[in-house]
């Protein structure tokens, strides 16, 4: 397949998708790396009387990056609808680069005092703004460059790139935890992980600058495009269901990413095993996301959403029960791995369903805003909630409670979401005409 849009040069869909998602991957690597090194960052910038207090301050700063996500989603999402996907993706990427370098190079609290946490919090807020405006334009772009029969598979590279980023972050964590003493990891090892991401930023900027544009200005649509709120109001039921599904997926994603810290602080397993669990579970999510896209193109969006989500709902508590009662390599790798693999299937199908159900005039802005609101409301608080539940209950099964609630809400919304797969709708219409 080849993509030729307006006066842009011809470029293959595969290359365009790779160029878009490599930037997305690098951004998520920078953002997610903070989660993996929450303990070390807490000791560097947020000294407290207890390890629990330091960790909670670090996680609160992690959550600060979610406060500005809805703002970034609205501003950069609408910008992508009006001006184009490419400039919006370039801007969000550049802002992320500034923020990641700031965090990596900020001196510790012991060196510059209160200025250190203030600088880190501001950098996290810039990261949140950038990432809030990243997902909507990128997902819309992937849908717009794909042929109807392969939309879900191409869009699958959005969640897949996020999992690749998480896997890369965990791999870096494994290497650093094995190669460095705990004191060195606390002092400067975590900074190396951030600088690795920063070193890749020029590559992402160069690749994105060569992307063809998919939004072509149309004077006849200008009046409608100036009022995103009016157009979005016509799709309010779809937006509410999407918000529920994204909330469910967000809680699952960020609780899963917290498993590195959970394994170290609650289950008291070795740091290298904790990072290895993240590598394996994220690797399985990569395979699951791609498989979910392939299945959604062939069998429709709804079946690929509903059945795996139901399986997650059934398997979550038994998996955690096994992990807590027998913490070790087998239970952690197989238990978390199974949940990760199955849980990644529904959301690829959802990304495609929600994006193709929206008109192009509001696609980037609505997706970015709803995604950012869900992330800000539930992603920014997920790790705080789980840490608090563990602390007040003393029950190591506490994360499963939150995951079960999220999975149930997501399942209900997925069951109510309309089918949008072109192949599935085409077969239904053909049957009606021949009946």
């Amino acid at each position: 397949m080849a993509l030729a849009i307006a006066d842009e040069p011809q470029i293959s869909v595969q290359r365009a998708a790779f160029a878009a998602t490599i930037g997305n991957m690098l951004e998520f690597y920078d953002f997610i790396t903070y989660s993996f090194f929450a303990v070390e960052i807490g000791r560097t910038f947020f000294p407290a009387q207890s390890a629990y207090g330091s960790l909670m301050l670090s996680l609160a700063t992690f959550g600060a990056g979610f406060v500005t996500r809805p703002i970034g989603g609205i501003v950069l999402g609408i910008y992508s609808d009006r001006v184009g996907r490419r400039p919006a993706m370039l801007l969000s990427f550049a802002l992320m680069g500034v923020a990641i370098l700031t965090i990596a190079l900020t001196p510790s609290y012991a060196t510059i005092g209160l200025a250190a946490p203030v600088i880190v919090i501001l950098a996290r807020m810039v990261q949140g703004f950038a990432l809030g405006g990243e997902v909507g334009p990128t997902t819309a772009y992937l849908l717009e460059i794909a042929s109807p029969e392969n939309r879900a598979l191409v869009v699958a590279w959005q969640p897949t790139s996020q999992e690749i980023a998480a896997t890369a972050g965990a791999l870096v964590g494994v290497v650093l935890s094995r190669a460095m003493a705990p004191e060195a990891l606390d002092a400067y090892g975590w900074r190396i992980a951030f600088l690795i991401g920063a070193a890749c930023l020029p590559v992402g900027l160069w690749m994105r600058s060569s992307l063809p544009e998919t939004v072509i200005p149309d004077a006849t649509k200008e009046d409608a495009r100036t009022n995103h709120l009016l157009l979005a109001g016509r799709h309010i039921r779809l937006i509410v269901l999407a918000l529920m599904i994204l909330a469910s997926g967000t809680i699952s994603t960020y609780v899963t990413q917290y498993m590195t810290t959970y394994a170290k602080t609650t289950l008291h397993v070795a740091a290298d095993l904790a990072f290895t669990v993240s590598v394996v579970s994220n690797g399985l999510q990569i395979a699951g996301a791609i498989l979910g896209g392939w299945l959604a193109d062939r069998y429709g969006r709804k079946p690929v959403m509903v059945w795996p989500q139901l399986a997650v709902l059934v398997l979550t508590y038994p998996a955690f029960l096994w992990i807590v009662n027998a913490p070790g390599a087998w239970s952690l790798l197989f238990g978390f791995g199974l949940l990760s693999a199955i849980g990644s299937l529904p959301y690829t199908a959802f990304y495609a369903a929600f994006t193709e159900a929206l008109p192009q005039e509001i696609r980037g802005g609505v997706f970015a805003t709803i995604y950012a609101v869900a992330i800000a409301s539930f992603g920014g608080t997920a790790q705080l909630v789980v840490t608090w539940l563990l602390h007040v209950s003393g029950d190591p099964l506490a994360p499963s409670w939150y995951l079960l609630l999220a999975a149930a809400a997501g399942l209900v919304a997925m069951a109510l979401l309309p089918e949008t797969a072109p192949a599935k709708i085409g077969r239904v219409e053909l049957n009606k005409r021949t009946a």
Side-chain angles (χ1 to χ4, degrees):
M1 293 182 294
L3 181 66
I5 299 173
D7 296 324
E8 301 284 354
Q10 219 174 47
I11 182 173
S12 69
V13 170
Q14 292 87 344
R15 180 182 171 188
F18 180 76
T21 55
I22 191 66
N24 190 59
M25 181 188 71
L26 292 177
E27 289 206 39
F28 270 89
Y29 170 87
D30 295 338
F31 203 83
I32 291 169
T33 296
Y34 189 105
S35 175
F36 284 131
F37 292 98
V39 174
E40 290 77 14
I41 293 172
R43 292 170 184 158
T44 301
F45 298 114
F46 308 99
Q49 297 298 318
S50 66
Y52 169 72
S54 177
L55 177 60
M56 287 297 284
L57 287 170
S58 178
L59 292 176
T61 301
F62 178 75
F66 294 87
V67 174
T68 50
R69 277 204 180 194
I71 302 173
I74 294 170
V75 174
L76 296 180
I78 294 176
Y79 180 67
S80 77
D81 288 331
R82 293 182 176 178
V83 178
R85 312 298 183 206
R86 180 173 58 196
M89 291 190 288
L90 282 169
L91 178 56
S92 68
F93 198 80
L95 290 172
M96 180 64 74
V98 172
I100 191 64
L101 282 171
T102 300
I103 293 174
L105 300 177
T106 298
S108 67
Y109 182 91
T111 303
I112 62 173
L114 188 61
V118 171
I119 292 172
V120 171
I121 289 170
L122 290 174
R124 288 294 297 172
M125 294 178 75
V126 172
Q127 276 187 314
F129 179 90
L131 202 50
E134 163 70 16
V135 176
T138 302
T139 307
Y141 183 82
L142 292 173
L143 184 85
E144 289 159 3
I145 64 173
S147 60
E149 63 271 15
N150 290 314
R151 281 178 183 167
L153 185 58
V154 175
V155 171
W157 286 99
Q158 166 63 262
T160 299
S161 66
Q162 297 177 27
E163 298 305 332
I164 291 173
T167 304
L171 280 170
V172 170
V174 170
V175 173
L176 292 177
S177 63
R178 285 182 174 272
M180 305 179 71
E183 296 79 14
L185 196 65
D186 275 356
Y188 61 87
W190 64 269
R191 296 181 189 270
I192 296 174
F194 277 81
L195 289 172
I196 290 172
C200 299
L201 289 166
V203 177
L205 285 170
W206 171 73
M207 295 190 72
R208 286 194 163 186
S209 65
S210 65
L211 287 173
E213 183 55 70
T214 60
V215 174
I216 304 173
D218 186 346
T220 63
K221 295 182 178 180
E222 190 62 32
D223 290 340
R225 292 172 62 195
T226 58
N227 195 337
H228 275 62
L229 185 61
L230 179 63
L231 286 174
R234 301 172 187 172
H235 303 273
I236 190 64
R237 181 178 182 273
L238 175 68
I239 289 172
V240 171
L241 293 176
L243 186 59
M244 291 175 62
I245 295 170
L246 284 170
S248 173
T250 296
I251 291 171
S252 176
T253 296
Y254 283 93
V255 171
T256 300
Q257 289 170 8
Y258 184 69
M259 288 303 102
T260 300
T261 301
Y262 171 76
K264 288 189 291 184
T265 60
T266 301
L267 302 180
H268 305 293
V269 304
D272 57 349
L273 175 58
F275 280 115
T276 301
V277 170
S278 292
V279 172
V280 172
S281 63
N282 288 327
L284 290 171
Q285 286 180 15
I286 292 171
I290 296 174
L291 177 61
W294 184 83
L295 292 172
D297 280 327
R298 280 146 187 80
Y299 302 106
R301 316 305 188 217
K302 290 195 69 172
V304 181
M305 285 189 286
V306 171
W307 293 111
Q309 186 74 0
L310 180 61
V312 168
L313 186 63
V314 172
L315 293 173
T316 294
Y317 189 79
F320 268 86
L321 194 62
W322 180 29
I323 291 165
V324 169
N325 289 333
W330 279 108
S331 61
L332 284 165
L333 292 172
F334 189 78
F336 284 137
L338 181 65
L339 291 178
S340 298
I342 299 174
S344 62
L345 293 171
Y347 293 96
T348 298
F350 163 74
Y351 273 52
F354 184 44
T355 309
E356 65 192 351
L358 295 169
Q360 188 184 46
E361 292 85 353
I362 61 170
R363 185 175 290 149
V366 169
F367 194 103
T369 303
I370 299 305
Y371 185 92
V373 168
I375 294 288
S377 302
F378 300 95
T381 58
Q383 298 185 5
L384 281 170
V385 169
V386 169
T387 304
W388 176 79
L389 285 173
L390 288 166
H391 182 71
V392 299
S393 69
D395 188 348
L397 289 170
S400 67
W401 309 342
Y402 201 31
L403 286 173
L404 285 171
L405 180 63
L411 179 61
V412 171
M414 288 174 183
L416 296 174
L417 204 69
E419 180 62 75
T420 60
K424 189 86 170 181
I425 293 173
R427 286 195 295 269
V428 171
E429 291 178 350
L430 179 62
N431 290 337
K432 286 180 179 179
R433 286 198 298 267
T434 58

